[in-house]
């Protein structure tokens, strides 16, 4: 069968495209190269092959695998060849395969199982997902039967210090190393930001945080026998004390996974049923530090670009953990980074390395705290300083003094909204007049999930289902989520930011000096045009970026904080904009 002829005859690709790509295949099969380049869809190619070869194409969405039938086949062959037994008819078994030309896979599986196999075609990702769902991530590794490539795809970028002990030998066994590697590979393939390994009363539970939401990852029950070895392996990789099981420990792993450099922040905490592990995955290759890329609206970008070029002052980014504050700060630094500007950062830890910027890692155990490091930084004649977080009064005072002596200081605070930043600094012991005179702007932010572009659809909005503060008049249609293979039936793919930017003017400074409450500052800011997190979210809904339910989930407390007066101001502003 000539693959090019089949694809051209079915109008999936032109003859000219085939001839152009055929010159640069580098040993890769034509159909796979076309799929990789996005010229054709895998499903269309498989359907064409199925028709040509007299086979069936099956959609495995929502397919329930017969686990008893699956148990009759060796795990090794299923994982290695990516072949999934679907159903049994007497001595004949229907198996799903994504490559109709992989005769070796069919011959081996038939030989070891003793069944006659009837192959049907299915998408590779669907086959893989069902295998992992039913056998668990690393199911073949636990049986020490996984292909050797998994161990080669994860490379430690720092040498592991030699450690001795009986548990160490088990943790350094090839099967355990491959199992840990597979957990990391799977997390990265799903674009997870965190991996949670949690000991429970009935066994080990592994969860991945994807687009901000936790999802349980299926793993085989036999993984419980490897729990201690997995924890020890992670401790060895992150250079922690393997003998200490009573106290929390924090470490870091530098990896190269399939050519991508990954930083893993490791946190281990003793719990009732054993030590729990949280791995924060920082994928340097996927980060783009650009203010437009983080989701800032154009009008906020214009204001923020003006503020970040000030010669001195403090610029704060606020929000809960995992809301993208660090990415926003790095995007700011990237905007002003130049050979004429000396930028020094002090962080805990340094998450991303940037060319042309001097970065310092906090070491609290030896006395290098944010406050101590900040005082030392000033002797290096910086123009711009980034302090990872203002955690206490000492750090706040040091940041204030740095700004008063002619430096531009960036930092983060843990507050729910922008106006609360002023009251938080005062609560830390900063004099109100100092906070008022040094803080130039406060940006609050959250992350919302982005609608999957492959399956989102438009529906006419129902006024009764929309919150009272949703912009009126309503549009004819709103984008809503649906769910498909590409987004794993969630309806979302990726995240973007929603923002609340408070520019400090004379009115805000006066309220700060008078030690006004956060709600009073918020009311003043709303009256003078500040866009709230929730309003920014509604703009993203109207633009088709996210949906109403997602904004409501992320900004639950926003309406309560504004109160009736704040909502009245917003309604008045909306009426004025409509009339103009």
């Amino acid at each position: 069968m000539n693959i090019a002829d089949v694809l051209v005859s079915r109008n999936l690709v032109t003859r000219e495209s085939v001839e152009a790509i055929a010159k640069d295949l580098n040993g890769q099969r034509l159909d796979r190269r076309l799929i990789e380049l996005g010229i054709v869809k895998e499903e269309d190619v498989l359907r064409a092959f199925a028709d040509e070869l007299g086979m069936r194409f099956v959609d495995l969405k929502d397919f329930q695998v017969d686990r008893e039938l699956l148990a009759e086949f060796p795990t090794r062959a299923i994982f290695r060849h990516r072949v999934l037994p679907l159903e049994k008819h007497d001595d004949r078994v229907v198996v799903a395969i994504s490559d109709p030309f992989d005769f070796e896979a069919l011959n081996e599986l038939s030989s070891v199982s003793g069944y006659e196999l009837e192959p049907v075609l299915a998408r590779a990702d669907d086959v893989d997902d069902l295998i992992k769902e039913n056998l668990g991530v690393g199911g073949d590794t636990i049986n020490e039967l996984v292909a050797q490539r998994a161990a080669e795809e994860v490379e430690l970028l720092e040498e592991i210090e030699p450690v001795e002990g009986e548990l160490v030998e088990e943790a350094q066994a090839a099967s355990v190393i491959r199992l840990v590697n597979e957990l990391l590979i799977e997390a990265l393939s799903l674009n997870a930001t965190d991996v949670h390994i949690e000991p429970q009363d009935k066994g080990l539970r592994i969860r991945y945080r994807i687009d901000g939401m936790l999802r349980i990852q299926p793993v085989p029950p036999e993984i419980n026998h490897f729990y201690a070895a997995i924890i020890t392996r992670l401790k060895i990789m992150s250079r922690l004390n393997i003998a200490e099981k009573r106290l929390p420990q924090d470490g870091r792993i530098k990896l190269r996974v399939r050519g991508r450099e990954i930083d893993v922040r490791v946190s281990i905490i003793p719990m009732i049923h054993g030590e729990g592990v949280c791995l924060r995955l920082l994928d340097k290759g996927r980060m783009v530090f650009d203010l437009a890329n983080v989701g800032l609206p154009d009008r906020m970008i214009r204001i923020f670009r003006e503020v970040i070029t000030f010669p001195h002052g403090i610029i704060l980014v606020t929000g809960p953990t995992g809301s993208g504050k660090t990415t926003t700060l790095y995007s700011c630094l990237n905007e002003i980074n130049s050979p004429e500007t000396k930028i020094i950062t002090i962080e805990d830890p340094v998450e991303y390395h940037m060319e042309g910027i001097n970065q310092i890692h906090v070491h609290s155990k030896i006395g290098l705290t944010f406050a101590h490091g900040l005082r030392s930084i000033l002797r290096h004649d910086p123009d711009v300083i980034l302090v990872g977080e203002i955690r206490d009064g000492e750090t706040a005072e040091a940041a204030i003094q740095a700004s008063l002596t002619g430096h531009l200081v960036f930092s983060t605070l843990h507050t729910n909204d922008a106006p609360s930043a002023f009251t938080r600094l005062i609560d830390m012991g900063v004099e109100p007049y100092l906070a008022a005179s040094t803080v130039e702007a406060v940006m609050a932010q959250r992350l919302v999930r982005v609608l999957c572009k492959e399956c989102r659809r438009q529906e006419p909005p129902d006024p009764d289902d929309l919150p009272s503060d949703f912009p009126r008049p309503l549009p004819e249609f709103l984008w809503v989520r649906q769910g498909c293979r590409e987004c794993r039936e969630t309806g979302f793919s990726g995240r973007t930011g929603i923002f609340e930017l408070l520019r400090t003017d004379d009115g805000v400074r006066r309220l700060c000096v008078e030690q006004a409450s956060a709600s009073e500052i918020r009311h003043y800011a709303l009256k003078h045009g500040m866009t709230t997190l929730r309003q920014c979210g509604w703009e993203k809904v109207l633009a088709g970026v996210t949906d109403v339910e997602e904004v409501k989930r992320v900004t639950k407390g926003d309406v309560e904080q504004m109160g009736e007066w704040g909502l009245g101001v917003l309604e008045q502003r909306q009426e004025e904009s409509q009339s103009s």
Side-chain angles (χ1 to χ4, degrees):
M1 186 179 84
N2 187 299
I3 292 176
D5 291 343
V6 171
L7 300 181
V8 170
S9 67
R10 295 181 179 270
N11 297 321
L12 296 179
V13 65
T14 63
R15 179 68 65 181
E16 291 75 15
S17 297
V18 168
E19 291 173 353
I21 291 168
K23 296 175 182 177
D24 189 30
L25 288 177
N26 293 324
Q28 195 174 13
R29 211 169 68 200
L30 176 63
D31 58 306
R32 291 182 173 174
R33 182 63 175 158
L34 290 168
I35 293 169
E36 184 181 283
L37 294 173
I39 296 174
V40 296
K41 291 185 177 181
E42 182 189 15
E43 182 173 328
D44 293 337
V45 171
L46 291 176
R47 287 185 183 277
F49 286 169
D51 288 345
E52 193 71 20
L53 298 170
M55 301 173 66
R56 283 193 296 143
F57 174 84
V58 295
D59 187 344
L60 296 181
K61 180 183 176 182
D62 300 327
F63 188 89
Q64 296 297 319
V65 173
D66 185 343
R67 289 178 177 268
E68 291 184 5
L69 175 62
L70 200 61
E72 296 184 39
F73 289 80
T75 308
R76 175 185 183 183
I78 291 175
F79 270 91
R80 184 153 64 91
H81 294 300
R82 299 165 80 181
V83 178
L84 180 65
L86 299 180
E87 52 193 16
K88 182 179 176 183
H89 303 287
D90 299 323
D91 291 331
R92 180 171 53 85
V93 173
V94 177
V95 295
I97 190 168
S98 60
D99 184 357
F101 310 113
D102 191 353
F103 304 114
E104 178 190 348
L106 298 172
N107 289 337
E108 180 180 335
L109 210 64
S110 178
S111 175
V112 296
S113 66
Y115 287 113
E116 176 189 345
L117 303 183
E118 177 191 333
V120 295
L121 297 182
R123 293 174 71 253
D125 286 348
D126 290 351
V127 175
D128 287 346
D129 289 346
L130 275 178
I131 290 174
K132 290 170 184 173
E133 182 180 324
N134 288 276
L135 295 177
V137 173
D140 50 344
T141 301
I142 290 176
N143 292 295
E144 297 185 284
L145 298 170
V146 72
Q148 293 294 326
R149 62 180 176 83
E152 299 166 0
E153 288 177 335
V154 178
E155 174 190 354
L156 284 171
L157 298 181
E158 294 178 337
E159 290 187 9
I160 295 177
E161 297 177 0
V163 187
E164 296 181 355
E166 183 180 341
L167 192 56
V168 173
E169 292 182 10
E170 185 181 357
Q172 298 290 57
S175 57
V176 174
I177 292 174
R178 288 197 297 269
L179 175 57
V180 172
N181 289 351
E182 281 204 357
L183 290 173
L184 293 171
I185 290 172
E186 179 69 8
L188 290 168
S189 70
L190 296 173
N191 294 325
T193 55
D194 301 83
V195 178
H196 296 261
I197 303 174
E198 304 162 327
Q200 305 287 310
D201 185 29
K202 296 182 180 179
L204 197 63
R205 179 173 69 174
I206 294 180
R207 295 192 287 175
Y208 292 159
R209 188 176 293 280
I210 303 170
D211 291 340
M213 307 296 285
L214 280 172
R215 300 184 197 170
I216 293 178
Q217 183 62 37
V219 290
E222 292 82 6
I223 200 171
N224 298 326
H225 305 308
F226 293 84
Y227 162 68
I230 291 170
I231 302 299
T232 303
R233 171 63 183 168
L234 289 170
K235 284 183 178 180
I236 292 171
M237 292 170 72
S238 50
R239 301 183 174 190
L240 299 178
N241 183 355
I242 65 170
E244 181 56 74
K245 299 182 180 181
R246 300 169 299 170
L247 296 174
Q249 297 189 71
D250 294 314
R252 189 175 181 179
I253 308 171
K254 287 187 175 182
L255 302 170
R256 183 180 287 113
V257 180
R258 293 180 176 174
R260 295 153 58 186
E261 284 198 18
I262 310 294
D263 270 5
V264 183
R265 286 160 56 181
V266 183
S267 176
I268 300 179
I269 298 179
M271 299 181 180
I272 295 176
H273 301 291
E275 292 176 287
V277 181
C278 179
L279 307 175
R280 168 65 58 87
L281 307 178
L282 303 172
D283 188 347
K284 299 178 182 179
R286 295 183 61 233
M287 295 307 301
V288 179
F289 297 115
D290 179 80
L291 288 175
N293 187 67
V294 299
L296 267 172
D298 290 341
R299 67 179 184 283
M300 288 192 189
I301 290 179
R302 289 194 294 271
I303 298 172
F304 212 48
R305 278 182 174 153
E306 179 186 344
V307 172
I308 65 179
T309 55
F310 283 3
H312 54 78
I314 296 177
I315 298 170
L316 297 173
V317 179
T318 76
T321 302
S323 59
K325 299 188 297 295
T326 302
T327 303
T328 300
L329 286 176
Y330 273 89
S331 299
C332 293
L333 296 185
N334 197 41
E335 289 265 337
I336 60 178
N337 187 14
S338 71
E340 295 78 28
T341 305
K342 181 162 184 177
I343 302 174
I344 302 179
T345 76
I346 179 162
E347 307 166 65
D348 183 22
V350 175
E351 294 188 2
Y352 301 101
H353 300 282
M354 295 188 71
E355 195 70 30
I357 293 178
N358 307 282
Q359 296 171 279
I360 301 170
H361 180 74
V362 166
H363 286 286
S364 302
K365 292 181 181 177
I366 59 174
L368 180 54
T369 60
F370 280 121
H372 185 269
L374 190 49
R375 294 191 189 96
S376 301
I377 285 173
L378 296 179
R379 293 192 283 273
H380 274 251
D381 186 31
D383 298 298
V384 178
I385 300 169
L386 185 148
V387 183
E389 182 185 346
I390 295 179
R391 296 176 177 172
D392 49 46
E394 187 182 9
T395 307
E397 289 287 354
I400 295 284
Q401 292 304 315
S403 69
L404 290 172
T405 52
H407 302 88
L408 183 63
V409 180
F410 292 91
S411 192
T412 68
L413 267 179
H414 283 291
T415 63
N416 291 325
D417 57 14
S420 299
F422 293 96
T423 54
R424 179 84 178 100
L425 289 174
I426 294 170
D427 288 343
M428 287 181 176
V430 175
E431 291 293 338
Y433 73 92
L434 288 176
S437 61
T438 55
V439 176
E440 297 292 346
V442 184
M443 171 90 82
Q445 69 179 75
R446 299 286 190 281
L447 291 178
V448 293
R449 292 179 290 173
V450 175
L451 288 171
C452 174
K453 293 183 179 179
E454 296 294 327
C455 64
R456 63 176 184 168
R457 69 179 192 276
Q458 287 185 310
E459 285 186 357
D462 184 347
D464 295 334
D465 292 338
L466 294 174
S468 59
D469 62 318
F470 192 87
R472 262 69 172 181
L474 298 178
E476 186 178 355
F477 295 100
L478 285 178
W479 289 98
V480 296
R481 60 174 163 164
Q482 183 167 320
C484 65
R485 286 193 186 92
E486 298 300 321
C487 61
R488 296 178 179 270
E489 305 301 330
T490 63
F492 297 103
S493 179
R495 288 188 293 175
T496 190
I498 56 173
F499 302 89
E500 178 178 281
L501 178 58
L502 173 59
R503 177 82 178 269
T504 308
D505 60 13
D506 291 339
V508 173
R509 290 191 173 95
R510 175 179 52 79
L511 289 169
C512 185
V513 170
E514 294 172 356
Q515 298 190 44
S517 66
S519 61
E520 291 176 286
I521 298 175
R522 167 175 276 268
H523 288 167
Y524 172 86
L526 286 173
K527 192 174 181 179
H528 289 78
M530 183 184 78
T531 300
T532 67
L533 286 166
R534 195 166 171 101
Q535 285 177 288
C536 187
W538 295 145
E539 291 174 10
K540 301 274 185 184
V541 171
L542 293 172
V545 176
T546 188
D547 70 358
V548 173
E549 292 305 315
E550 181 67 3
V551 173
K552 286 169 61 178
R553 179 183 70 85
V554 173
T555 61
K556 282 180 181 177
D558 208 20
V559 174
E560 288 76 7
Q561 288 177 347
M562 281 191 293
E564 292 183 8
W565 186 91
L567 289 173
V569 171
L570 294 182
E571 289 174 5
Q572 182 180 346
R573 276 168 47 184
Q574 190 174 325
E575 290 172 2
E576 291 173 355
S577 65
Q578 289 173 11
S579 61
S580 62

